[in-house]
């Protein structure tokens, strides 16, 4: 089978499509015939050796896929060969076939095509978990989303609106903000040309925002925290800017603000029942037309290195889906 292979940690451009033996499912695993996979920011970090998880070399990157079960490993229950599924293997998804642990598999939601499905689980589950379980976002509250035209950012706009929040989307260009408005954002801030803190305070009549969704980090984090209200919650999603901010805790004390870390992948292991509940909720929101991943590009495996480089240059909107050649 064809797979994108990382032979050593280093520049993204070193990734290459190779012909390799298909993996075999071990006990508790299934083999999935990949119909579509999607790119995530951590894929770019992982192949450079910059991610918290460093798989043994060589490996194929690829966090999430949609496809059809081709083989069952020993002791696998509750799924069958031929089932259409979504899966989050963590690695190995950028290939024609991929081995996944049974517990990382979810049935394909009714009416969802493979490309949409491959772009759904990681970003939307992260975001629902962040906004509801971690951020306690309530209807009528305001939500400031940073990096709002990115993969998790676009999901935060849609889920924020579905939960009844007033969504303020912040991003780096007018083109990105136009996408945010199309997705339902009530207000937008261009944080390259405008002062994020000042504008967020203006847009909330001086009160500040109730919840900040922050996948970007760097200097924007403190500006956003300073623009949050009494009892505000800052959700720490990630550091796409490459800079982990250091925050003075008086900013939390002065307005009883909370700084809440979000680590969806680990949470699914800590609380599988909560994850199952959230997947069901997301299936309902999808069926009701309230959420739908923004698939901005469909590419082939060989085009992945260039796409990951563009992702690191802030040139990607929503999600890129990879369709294997077979
Ligand atoms: N905590 C969790 O459980 C969890 C789960 C999924 C993802 N994440 C993290 O969330 C972050 C975003 O992931 P994503 O898949 O949404 O990525 P993405 O689609 O590339 O979006 C990231 C956004 O960050 C902004 N950005 C600012 N500086 C950047 C830089 N130097 N390089 C790249 N982007 C920059 C860009 O928006 P502007 O150009 O508009 O600024 C970009 O749209 C990553 O750090 C990822 O690891 C965390």
């Amino acid at each position: 089978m064809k797979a994108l292979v990382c032979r050593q940690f280093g520049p993204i451009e070193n990734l290459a499509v190779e012909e390799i033996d298909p993996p075999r499912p071990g006990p508790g695993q299934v083999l999935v015939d990949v119909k579509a996979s999607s790119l995530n920011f951590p894929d770019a970090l992982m192949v450079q050796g910059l991610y918290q998880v460093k798989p043994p070399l060589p490996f194929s990157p690829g966090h999430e896929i949609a496809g059809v079960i081709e083989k069952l490993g020993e002791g696998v229950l509750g799924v069958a060969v031929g089932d259409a599924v979504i899966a989050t293997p963590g690695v190995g998804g950028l290939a024609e076939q991929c081995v996944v642990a049974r517990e990382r598999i979810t049935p394909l939601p009714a009416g969802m095509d493979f490309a949409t499905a491959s772009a759904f689980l990681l970003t939307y589950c992260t975001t629902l978990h962040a906004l509801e379980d971690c951020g306690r976002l309530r209807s009528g509250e305001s939500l400031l989303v940073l990096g709002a035209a990115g993969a998790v950012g676009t999901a935060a706009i849609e889920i924020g609106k579905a939960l009844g929040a007033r969504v303020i989307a912040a991003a780096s260009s007018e083109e990105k903000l136009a996408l945010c408005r199309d997705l339902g954002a009530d207000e937008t801030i261009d944080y390259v040309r405008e002062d994020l803190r000042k504008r967020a305070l203006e847009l909330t009549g001086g009160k500040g925002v109730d919840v900040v969704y922050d996948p970007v980090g760097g200097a924007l984090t403190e500006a956003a925290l300073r623009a949050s209200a009494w009892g505000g919650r800052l959700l720490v999603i990630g550091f796409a800017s490459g800079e982990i901010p250091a925050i003075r805790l008086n900013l939390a004390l002065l307005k009883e603000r909370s700084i809440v870390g979000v680590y969806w992948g680990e949470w699914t292991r800590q609380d599988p029942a909560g994850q199952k509940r959230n997947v069901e909720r997301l299936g309902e929101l999808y069926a009701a037309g309230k959420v739908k991943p923004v698939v901005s590009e469909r590419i082939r495996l060989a085009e992945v290195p260039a796409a990951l480089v563009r992702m690191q240059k802030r040139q990607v909107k929503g999600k890129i889906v990879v369709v294997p050649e077979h």
Side-chain angles (χ1 to χ4, degrees):
M1 68 164 192
K2 286 193 179 60
L4 192 73
V5 179
C6 175
R7 295 214 157 264
Q8 55 186 22
F9 298 118
I12 291 170
E13 292 85 346
N14 289 356
L15 292 171
V17 177
E18 295 184 15
E19 195 65 45
I20 60 171
D21 291 337
R24 286 205 200 130
Q29 296 180 323
V30 303
L31 180 69
V32 178
D33 189 41
V34 178
K35 302 292 184 194
S37 47
S38 75
L39 301 187
N40 286 285
F41 199 86
D43 298 327
L45 298 179
M46 196 184 270
V47 300
Q48 297 176 83
L50 302 175
Y51 192 57
Q52 60 241 37
V53 178
K54 291 186 180 59
L57 294 162
F59 71 96
S60 291
H63 271 76
E64 57 180 340
I65 59 172
V68 175
I69 294 184
E70 193 160 299
K71 250 187 223 159
L72 301 181
E74 201 187 307
V76 170
L77 298 172
V79 289
V81 168
D83 283 359
V85 294
I86 317 185
T88 49
V91 288
L94 289 166
E96 288 176 336
Q97 294 182 319
C98 175
V99 157
V100 194
R102 162 69 185 92
E103 63 271 16
R104 311 297 301 169
I105 285 195
T106 300
L108 195 81
M112 194 181 277
D113 61 83
F114 286 118
T116 305
S118 75
F120 191 57
L121 214 59
L122 198 147
T123 40
Y124 282 80
C125 283
T126 296
T127 304
L128 181 60
H129 171 56
L131 294 179
E132 242 187 10
D133 305 325
C134 304
R136 312 266 168 228
L137 179 67
R138 291 182 294 269
S139 181
E141 287 193 316
S142 54
L143 167 68
L144 172 62
V145 180
L146 308 185
V152 295
T154 48
I157 295 173
E158 289 191 324
I159 295 179
K161 289 306 297 173
L163 296 178
R166 176 175 178 235
V167 176
I168 302 173
S172 66
S173 72
E174 179 45 38
E175 191 195 344
K176 288 186 175 184
L177 294 175
L179 168 65
C180 299
R181 283 190 289 274
D182 287 348
L183 292 173
D186 299 285
E187 311 284 353
T188 54
I189 301 175
D190 179 336
Y191 49 49
V192 172
R193 283 165 200 80
E194 297 176 284
D195 181 323
L196 176 67
R197 178 187 175 205
K198 196 163 152 249
R199 277 298 288 144
L201 285 169
E202 276 170 13
L203 290 169
T204 52
K207 172 182 176 256
V209 294
D210 296 302
V211 174
V212 176
Y213 183 92
D214 179 11
V216 181
L220 291 175
T221 301
E222 182 169 329
L225 183 62
R226 284 178 180 274
S228 66
W230 176 265
R233 288 85 80 200
L234 170 73
L235 300 173
V236 181
I237 308 296
F239 313 106
S241 66
E243 195 191 326
I244 300 176
I247 297 286
R248 289 158 65 96
L249 289 179
N250 63 322
L251 294 179
L253 183 152
L254 289 173
K255 290 205 171 181
E256 290 199 354
R257 295 164 169 141
S258 307
I259 299 172
V260 190
V262 177
Y263 189 177
W264 170 73
E266 183 51 35
W267 174 75
T268 62
R269 286 177 273 277
Q270 301 282 339
D271 185 2
Q275 162 65 3
K276 191 164 177 283
R277 185 189 63 231
N278 279 1
V279 169
E280 282 161 12
R281 278 280 306 289
L282 286 168
E284 287 160 18
L285 288 174
Y286 178 78
K290 295 198 170 169
V291 298
K292 183 165 194 224
V294 176
V295 177
S296 57
E297 297 174 48
R298 287 170 198 243
I299 62 171
R300 298 290 187 187
L301 270 179
E303 296 170 294
V304 169
L308 290 176
V309 168
R310 276 188 288 118
M311 189 180 273
Q312 294 230 298
K313 291 184 177 167
R314 303 165 80 169
Q315 292 169 355
V316 170
K317 294 194 286 291
K319 295 277 284 182
I320 297 181
V321 166
V322 184
V323 187
E325 283 79 8
H326 64 169

